[in-house]
Amino acid sequence: MDAAAAITSVLDEVTIKSRPQDFCVTEAVALGPSLTGSRRNPGYRYVRLRKSGYTTFQSIEAAAAFFGLEPGQVTYCGLKDEDAVTDQMIAFPGATILKQLPAFNRTYASGERFMQLVPYGRYPDPLTVGGLAGNAFRIRIRGMRPELAASLGKSGQAHPISVVNFYDTQRFGVPGGPKTTHAIGAALLADDHDAAFGLLKKAKTPESEKARNWPGTPQTFFGELEPRVTAFFMSADSSFTWNRTVNRMLEERLQPERRVSYVRDGFDFVTAMSPENLTEALSRTATVEYRRYRPEAGGFTSTAVARPTLIHTVVAVDGIEPDETHTDRTSAVVSFFLPSGAYATNVINQLLLFFSGDARRA
């Protein structure tokens, strides 16, 4: 096994989502003044959605049905995975749902798969996709070799780090399902509803069962599908293209001995052997264009967005201890904050590659 292969093998050894409570996400939204006093202008009721075992789309659909609303009336800033414990803001029109919140929470408070709504305040405007300031993460990494855990340092130590701002694989499919959301999006953009429908039926997403039971044509199915879900598929195609573009850029700019190629869920990624090599390679290309799709006026519009090629954050080590789920292995708890659109699993992957290289060179 060569040095690069030995370093990347660490990603096959560790787990970062073996239990939902191992991966905790708290959303940060920048808000203006709240509404107070008279309710002649009810505005929007903001609530914190704490959940596990549900996607954001599933949660919004369930909440809308419970409160007698259309899914499009419930707004949000960002999407959160189902295989974690997540906390995010969602908004309902008006201010009439408060009395029903306890009943909703009783309905969806069962075991590890749950949803809970906590009132936050009244605001004049709905939430918007892209209005997210970022997310705070607290993650337990399991199955680490003791020497790798030791290279992270002791509890309380902090590591400033820069990594490639890849879209990680959960962007392209749900846990345990094929990673094809980008392929569904590409088919929709090519106006090939038959191909998109066929892929969706096998995708194991919350929409797959609806597709399998749909009595009409593929085109009418996507015409009835919640438009934000369709836009998500289209944007996933852009995400795949963005990753591929940056991979090629790094392959061209990094000498073989300075780069590491790795595969996650069938997707190829390229990064550097060290953060310093990475910063040098991407210093002259701060952003790469990404196209974001949104529903508008019965159709969809796209906007060119300059996505940063690098993420800069500080990873704090909050605890290192024996891993009760893996014999002779160690677990580490780390925490950090990321801007909107960045993926914590991507940060962890590259962090482990960097520190695995350091541990082997020591």
Side-chain angles (χ1 to χ4, degrees):
M1 183 182 294
D2 62 27
I7 291 171
T8 58
S9 67
V10 69
L11 299 185
D12 297 321
E13 297 175 350
V14 303
T15 56
I16 57 177
K17 287 187 176 181
S18 59
R19 301 171 179 175
Q21 59 267 34
D22 284 350
F23 198 98
C24 298
V25 189
T26 302
E27 186 179 82
V29 179
L31 300 175
S34 62
L35 292 173
T36 58
S38 172
R39 301 212 173 185
R40 285 178 294 181
N41 175 18
Y44 292 82
R45 172 62 63 181
Y46 285 20
V47 302
R48 300 295 306 191
L49 165 64
R50 184 174 172 83
K51 65 178 183 64
S52 183
Y54 294 89
T55 67
T56 300
F57 287 135
Q58 284 177 301
S59 301
I60 285 174
E61 187 173 296
F66 190 92
F67 297 117
L69 301 169
E70 292 297 322
Q73 294 179 275
V74 184
T75 56
Y76 61 90
C77 288
L79 301 177
K80 300 290 177 288
D81 297 337
E82 67 270 34
D83 54 341
V85 177
T86 68
D87 187 306
Q88 68 181 113
M89 196 82 77
I90 62 175
F92 297 88
T96 61
I97 68 164
L98 280 182
K99 293 181 180 179
Q100 297 173 275
L101 290 185
F104 178 91
N105 291 340
R106 287 193 298 270
T107 301
Y108 289 99
S110 58
E112 288 193 349
R113 191 170 190 256
F114 67 89
M115 288 185 281
Q116 183 182 34
L117 299 178
V118 179
Y120 190 87
R122 290 190 303 126
Y123 290 84
D125 301 307
L127 293 167
T128 59
V129 174
L132 181 63
N135 297 285
F137 296 88
R138 182 176 174 84
I139 299 169
R140 182 176 292 277
I141 308 169
R142 296 186 181 274
M144 300 176 68
R145 293 183 181 273
E147 60 269 23
L148 175 57
S151 72
L152 288 176
K154 298 179 180 180
S155 181
Q157 192 159 349
H159 303 286
I161 192 171
S162 299
V163 301
V164 189
N165 192 19
F166 286 126
Y167 292 92
D168 216 342
T169 62
Q170 60 266 45
R171 175 67 163 167
F172 307 113
V174 298
K179 306 298 185 184
T180 55
T181 58
H182 62 297
I184 295 169
L188 289 171
L189 290 167
D191 205 27
D192 190 345
H193 291 88
D194 289 342
F197 191 68
L199 288 166
L200 181 57
K201 287 194 291 186
K202 300 176 182 178
K204 297 184 179 180
T205 69
E207 298 76 31
S208 296
E209 185 176 356
K210 295 179 184 178
R212 289 192 296 270
N213 296 324
W214 183 253
T217 66
Q219 189 161 5
T220 58
F221 174 85
F222 286 107
E224 294 292 326
L225 188 63
E226 215 283 296
R228 290 176 296 188
V229 177
T230 304
F232 170 81
F233 290 140
M234 293 175 173
S235 296
D237 175 64
S238 298
S239 303
F240 178 77
T241 300
W242 193 95
N243 280 2
R244 186 172 54 187
T245 299
V246 177
N247 273 339
R248 290 173 178 169
M249 187 182 302
L250 289 168
E251 287 173 338
E252 292 171 358
R253 297 182 183 180
L254 286 168
Q255 295 298 317
E257 66 274 11
R258 289 193 171 191
R259 69 174 183 254
V260 180
S261 299
Y262 60 103
V263 179
R264 307 303 290 161
D265 292 328
F267 292 85
D268 297 321
F269 297 93
V270 179
T271 190
M273 292 288 285
S274 72
E276 294 77 17
N277 294 156
L278 190 58
T279 301
E280 181 182 351
L282 293 177
S283 60
R284 65 180 185 272
T285 310
T287 63
V288 168
E289 184 179 290
Y290 156 78
R291 298 207 71 82
R292 176 185 294 154
Y293 291 84
R294 291 180 176 175
E296 186 175 297
F300 297 90
T301 60
S302 69
T303 305
V305 179
R307 180 177 174 86
T309 55
L310 287 173
I311 307 167
H312 310 285
T313 189
V314 177
V315 178
V317 181
D318 294 334
I320 295 179
E321 58 191 23
D323 183 0
E324 74 274 14
T325 66
H326 296 76
T327 303
D328 299 326
R329 293 299 177 98
T330 302
S331 73
V333 176
V334 296
S335 60
F336 48 90
F337 184 86
L338 294 178
S340 175
Y343 286 76
T345 48
N346 169 56
V347 172
I348 295 293
N349 286 338
Q350 294 183 67
L351 173 80
L352 293 176
L353 290 173
F354 294 151
F355 278 90
S356 179
D358 288 345
R360 292 176 187 277
R361 287 189 289 269

